[in-house]
């Protein structure tokens, strides 16, 4: 059995679909939530869909973080900093934290087609600043809409991965490749996450204009 993936904030109707995909692909998944019961309900819901014997469980975020050395952060930007401060004692040295947070203005009451300016440059760089030393941060999965993750169809979108650490980049790439159709694209340093995060706001505005859901992005020529 492969390592556990803790999805912090993974109980939401949207990002729960990442748990669905990775569980289906054979990963051991822990859904994290502020509320243990909500996390367990989300895990049960996925198990009911995929098979009760599959290794998916639910825990409060700190417990989920402590139980895994591969975490994915999927909370609204407005709560990112507070959650990371709360999780500080739960992180282990060498833990890989993959940040999927997009600093959408909607997280503070603005438009979902706009991004907020982040002092550190990007939500992912803010994360890197807030986690304890020794936690390895990558940014990924910003451009993959949950709207296309619900079923088991191939996903027509690349995952652009930005990180200053090769192990974190590799772990994010492995998770990306577990989703059929998704390619893992090396997006370079963590500072490039600023650009990738902004593309999500553009994709949302395209969805609004074309009255579609879940448009994606492909890097061509590779
Ligand atoms: N949805 C997408 O298609 C998509 C695509 C790419 C990137 N993203 C990014 O992924 C992140 C999550 O997106 P989402 O659509 O899943 O958002 P969401 O449904 O609003 O939130 C996800 C989960 O975050 C937790 N949360 C909410 N407020 C919190 C707080 N104050 N403190 C701690 N946890 C809190 C909640 O879980 P509990 O209440 O169980 O704790 C919630 O279910 C965002 O940064 C978003 O920009 C989303």
């Amino acid at each position: 059995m492969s390592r556990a993936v803790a999805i912090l904030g993974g109980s939401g109707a949207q990002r729960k679909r990442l748990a669905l995909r990775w569980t289906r692909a054979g990963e051991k998944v822990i859904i994290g939530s502020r509320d243990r019961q909500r996390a367990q309900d989300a895990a049960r819901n996925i198990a009911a869909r995929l098979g009760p014997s599959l290794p998916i469980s639910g825990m409060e975020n700190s417990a989920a973080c402590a139980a895994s050395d591969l975490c994915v952060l999927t909370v609204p930007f407005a709560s990112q900093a507070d959650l990371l401060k709360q999780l500080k004692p739960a992180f282990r040295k060498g833990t890989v934290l993959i940040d999927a947070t997009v600093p959408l203005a909607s997280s503070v009451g603005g438009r979902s087609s706009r991004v907020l300016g982040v002092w550190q440059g990007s939500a992912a760089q803010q994360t890197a600043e807030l986690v304890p030393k020794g936690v390895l941060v990558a940014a990924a999965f910003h451009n993959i809409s949950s709207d296309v993750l619900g079923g088991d169809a191939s996903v027509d979108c690349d995952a652009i991965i930005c990180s200053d650490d090769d192990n974190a980049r590799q772990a994010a790439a492995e998770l990306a490749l577990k989703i059929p159709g998704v390619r893992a694209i090396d997006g370079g340093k963590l500072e490039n996450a600023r650009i990738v995060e902004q593309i999500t706001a553009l994709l949302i505005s395209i969805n609004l204009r074309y009255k579609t859901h879940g448009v994606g992005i492909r890097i061509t020529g590779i």
Side-chain angles (χ1 to χ4, degrees):
M1 183 55 59
S2 51
R3 76 253 135 139
V5 186
I7 309 176
L8 310 171
S11 69
Q14 292 287 314
R15 298 276 88 179
K16 196 166 68 183
R17 295 174 178 176
L18 282 173
L20 184 82
R21 290 290 183 143
W22 289 329
T23 305
R24 188 184 277 134
E27 290 285 338
K28 181 176 176 186
V29 170
I30 304 170
I31 292 184
S33 166
R34 287 169 292 182
D35 181 82
R36 188 178 59 152
Q37 187 62 51
R38 195 155 47 240
Q40 289 175 343
D41 289 347
R44 259 194 294 275
N45 181 281
I46 289 176
R49 208 166 144 184
L50 298 183
S53 60
L54 286 169
I56 179 160
S57 57
M59 299 181 188
E60 185 277 324
N61 282 321
S62 294
C65 180
S68 173
D69 52 15
L70 178 57
C71 300
V72 181
L73 184 65
T74 66
V75 294
F77 176 70
S79 55
Q80 183 201 42
D82 279 348
L83 179 61
L84 287 171
K85 285 178 196 160
Q86 181 200 317
L87 292 176
K88 256 186 181 166
F91 280 114
R92 292 181 293 201
K93 196 170 163 39
T95 293
V96 168
L97 177 62
I98 301 168
D99 192 355
T101 310
V102 182
L104 294 177
S106 54
S107 78
V108 292
R111 293 188 188 178
S112 58
S113 53
R114 288 186 179 156
V115 284
L116 299 167
V118 184
W119 185 254
Q120 292 83 350
S122 63
Q125 287 166 286
Q126 173 169 277
T127 288
E129 197 173 283
L130 289 171
V131 294
K133 207 165 177 275
V135 174
L136 315 171
V137 176
F141 305 114
H142 307 88
N143 305 145
I144 303 179
S145 167
S146 292
D147 286 318
V148 298
L149 290 173
D152 57 4
S154 178
V155 171
D156 191 13
C157 187
D158 289 336
I160 302 176
I161 300 163
C162 304
S163 182
D164 296 332
D165 181 89
D166 287 342
N167 289 333
R169 189 194 326 279
Q170 176 67 24
E174 285 169 13
L175 280 184
L177 294 174
K178 298 268 170 155
I179 305 172
V182 173
R183 294 187 311 165
I185 303 291
D186 182 355
K189 287 183 161 294
L190 193 67
E191 66 185 29
N192 289 345
R194 175 177 55 88
I195 304 163
V196 183
E197 290 171 7
Q198 292 189 4
I199 290 171
T200 303
L202 179 67
L203 294 176
I204 290 170
S205 83
I206 291 171
N207 272 328
L208 291 170
R209 236 166 303 116
Y210 282 78
K211 301 190 188 339
T212 51
H213 297 282
V215 295
I217 182 171
R218 285 291 194 199
I219 304 299
T220 60
I222 296 177

